[in-house]
Amino acid sequence: MPELPEVETIKNDLLLEIIDRRFTKINVLWEKAIQNLSAGEFYRRLVGHTIKDITRRGKYLIFHISNDAFLIIHLRMTGSILLKRIDSDPDPYTRAVFDLDNGMQMRFCDVRKFGVLYLVNDVNSVIGKLGPEPLGSDFNVRFLRQQLSKRTAPVKAVLCDQHLVAGIGNMYADEILHAAHINPLRKADSLTDKELNLLYKMTIRVLESAISHKGATVRDYQTPSGQPGTAQNFFSVAHRLNKKCPTCNTLIKRIRIRNRGTYFCPHCQP
DNA sequence: CTTATTCCCTGATTGC
DNA sequence: TGCAATCAGGGAATAA
């Protein structure tokens, strides 16, 4: 499940390969993936135009197109972006194919069809309500304290709220809370200043560490060039039910918060 | 405004 | 072994 570190890795991988490449042909196989226009209009407004830049905001990938449009992709649960030669074997679950003018294809694949595409002129129509980037200067302890102090929901649920801070999802929220020694069920407004400081620092440390490992491959995530990430090898709790906590050897437990599986160490996160 | 629940979707896993 | 039921979960929609 691509979260901020995975999308950042995908973006960095694509930047090396497809800047200034032009779309020569597009084939949309799952039309419902396009959120705001028809497949025909999507084709007409992209083919012949060039990718000038690729950026990331939260879990969204943003392609800056030469006609001042933005192709925005959210991979949701199982989406992936693959770069292959046009003549290479097709990939399973391909939902949209973008032919480029250098003989390569950018393929949007997604087993569960949750991933979405937008083509817009105003990026804020899609990402306008996102909270700050956790690795940007707008995200700091004061901001975190102010936001959490008005929320009574479990801190795990609030950390995953994209309106509060953008890009943290289920598995990195679990890792961040473990690193900060905070139980995921704690009410967000109950954290002490000491805990808020640690939560802030660990948010940055966990995300930067995961980016340095090119994201986590827990199911089928891979970079566009086909490399798996290795961040999962350094996880303390996420997807480690009944395995030992690396700091205290206690067995990792799994509970449900807001219908999402939540992993934590009962000893480190009392 | 908030929090809680349901839905979308399909491969993998569980249960009888 | 076989087939149905359940699970996984990001974010939108809906309910309260």
Side-chain angles (χ1 to χ4, degrees):
Chain A
M1 358 182 146
E3 300 179 25
L4 187 153
E6 289 74 31
V7 180
E8 177 72 11
T9 303
I10 291 168
K11 181 209 73 181
N12 290 338
D13 212 16
L14 290 174
L15 277 174
L16 298 173
E17 304 285 344
I18 63 172
I19 287 303
D20 289 330
R21 297 282 59 80
R22 185 167 41 88
F23 294 115
T24 57
K25 185 180 165 191
I26 295 171
N27 190 11
V28 177
L29 301 122
W30 174 248
E31 297 200 10
K32 279 176 72 176
I34 305 173
Q35 296 298 290
N36 64 327
L37 23 76
S38 68
E41 190 67 11
F42 186 77
Y43 183 102
R44 281 190 291 279
R45 289 173 57 177
L46 278 177
V47 167
H49 298 286
T50 302
I51 301 166
K52 301 307 291 182
D53 196 9
I54 307 169
T55 54
R56 177 193 59 73
R57 181 78 169 91
K59 304 176 197 174
Y60 292 83
L61 261 183
I62 305 170
F63 296 78
H64 303 235
I65 311 301
S66 54
N67 60 352
D68 293 330
F70 298 91
L71 169 64
I72 304 183
I73 301 182
H74 195 301
L75 300 169
R76 297 279 179 94
M77 303 294 305
T78 54
S80 61
I81 302 284
L82 300 175
L83 270 181
K84 300 280 183 75
R85 289 173 51 106
I86 283 178
D87 57 10
S88 67
D89 291 340
D91 287 288
Y93 314 111
T94 300
R95 308 304 181 194
V97 181
F98 302 80
D99 288 13
L100 302 171
D101 64 354
N102 62 348
M104 300 293 283
Q105 256 178 0
M106 181 172 78
R107 300 174 180 174
F108 167 60
C109 303
D110 186 13
V111 174
R112 278 154 72 182
K113 299 179 175 174
F114 282 2
V116 289
L117 313 177
Y118 306 81
L119 184 63
V120 296
N121 291 314
D122 174 15
V123 283
N124 282 331
S125 65
V126 178
I127 60 165
K129 290 179 177 168
L130 291 179
E133 283 293 314
L135 301 180
S137 55
D138 291 345
F139 182 69
N140 53 49
V141 184
R142 192 179 309 121
F143 174 84
L144 194 59
R145 176 168 45 237
Q146 187 218 326
Q147 294 294 315
L148 295 198
S149 68
K150 56 188 182 190
R151 305 286 294 266
T152 58
V155 61
K156 155 79 183 278
V158 177
L159 262 192
C160 292
D161 182 349
Q162 303 301 299
H163 305 291
L164 182 112
V165 57
I168 299 171
N170 205 41
M171 69 185 175
Y172 288 109
D174 286 355
E175 287 300 308
I176 290 165
L177 288 170
H178 178 266
H181 313 300
I182 297 169
N183 187 287
L185 281 170
R186 288 277 300 282
K187 303 291 182 195
D189 64 1
S190 76
L191 299 196
T192 64
D193 273 7
K194 198 176 165 185
E195 289 172 322
L196 286 164
N197 267 294
L198 202 52
L199 181 60
Y200 167 72
K201 284 181 182 150
M202 291 305 119
T203 297
I204 292 167
R205 178 179 296 181
V206 165
L207 294 176
E208 285 185 341
S209 165
I211 291 169
S212 78
H213 295 113
K214 297 196 178 295
T217 297
V218 293
R219 277 202 182 79
D220 45 11
Y221 159 79
Q222 53 183 311
T223 68
S225 52
Q227 302 295 314
T230 56
Q232 72 284 356
N233 299 332
F234 304 91
F235 279 176
S236 297
V237 290
H239 301 281
R240 299 190 69 247
L241 177 63
N242 290 332
K243 297 193 165 108
K244 287 179 179 175
C245 168
T247 35
C248 73
N249 282 341
T250 303
L251 297 188
I252 302 305
K253 282 197 170 177
R254 184 173 180 272
I255 57 174
R256 215 153 237 293
I257 296 180
R258 291 273 227 277
N259 276 331
R260 282 357 178 208
T262 299
Y263 301 85
F264 73 107
C265 169
H267 181 258
C268 296
Q269 301 167 268

